[in-house]
Amino acid sequence: TGTGEDRSVDFGSTAQGQMVRVPNVEWLNQLTRSGDVITVSFWQKLRSTGASYAFWAVTPTRERAISAHAPWSDNVIYWDTGGAGAGTRVSINSTDFETEFSWTNWNHIVLVKNEFIKQIWVNGVFRTEGDASVPLVSDIVDFGIGNHPTAAPTATSGAIKGWIDDFAIFAG
């Protein structure tokens, strides 16, 4: 990020329905069927924090198949897989980070699920880990980057207010 040839997705300064919608998600289902491990990595720079979604995968049965708030309006990073509840969520409050940390700078976020453990890494620093006993789901039907994939274009919340770059999902 930051070089002359590099381009990021600018989601704007309002939270009104902007997103990158991934139209065919069978590749993501194949990835989740291949094992209970996944890594999501991306760079993000926010104009301001709010009630927003860095990415979100939806299934017919579970609202939070794979999702993250980075952060939510309470400055907490939430990393969800397999739904919401025990064994599905790991979180950490970014106000506990070093004093020079700011969401208005470029930050590299890595979210890992490795079978029974989930981890959150920010700028190469391990931040927390927790229970991930609920396995990944493989019936994903919709996926959005920068917002919830079913958000209406006129929605007044949900989209991040800033940029995402180098978004990648890895099997492992």
Side-chain angles (χ1 to χ4, degrees):
T1 57
T3 66
E5 293 89 37
D6 193 21
R7 302 290 185 254
S8 60
V9 177
D10 184 351
F11 292 93
S13 59
T14 66
Q16 293 187 322
Q18 303 92 327
M19 78 181 84
V20 173
R21 191 162 195 182
V22 180
N24 181 344
V25 294
E26 184 51 34
W27 62 272
L28 190 52
N29 288 317
Q30 290 172 0
L31 182 147
T32 59
R33 282 191 292 269
S34 68
D36 196 24
V37 293
I38 191 170
T39 300
V40 181
S41 171
F42 58 98
W43 286 86
Q44 179 178 265
K45 179 180 180 180
L46 300 178
R47 290 179 174 92
S48 62
T49 58
S52 63
Y53 313 102
F55 61 91
W56 197 289
V58 176
T59 78
T61 58
R62 297 193 188 167
E63 186 61 17
R64 291 182 169 109
I66 302 168
S67 68
H69 306 288
W72 190 247
S73 57
D74 58 4
N75 282 309
V76 174
I77 300 171
Y78 295 100
W79 168 216
D80 298 310
T81 57
T88 66
R89 172 171 278 180
V90 173
S91 62
I92 187 166
N93 194 319
S94 63
T95 59
D96 295 335
F97 296 176
E98 54 278 356
T99 56
E100 65 273 3
F101 180 84
S102 172
W103 286 108
T104 60
N105 295 328
W106 279 106
N107 293 289
H108 185 222
I109 300 161
V110 177
L111 307 167
V112 178
K113 180 183 188 321
N114 190 355
E115 295 181 336
F116 299 106
I117 297 293
K118 273 199 282 201
Q119 298 178 331
I120 297 174
W121 296 72
V122 179
N123 297 330
V125 178
F126 170 76
R127 300 298 182 166
T128 193
E129 69 181 10
D131 176 29
S133 56
V134 174
L136 292 169
V137 296
S138 59
D139 61 341
I140 297 167
V141 295
D142 212 347
F143 185 71
I145 301 169
N147 201 346
H148 189 291
T150 60
T154 57
T156 57
S157 66
I160 70 160
K161 298 173 190 172
W163 301 261
I164 289 180
D165 197 10
D166 298 330
F167 188 93
I169 298 177
F170 302 94

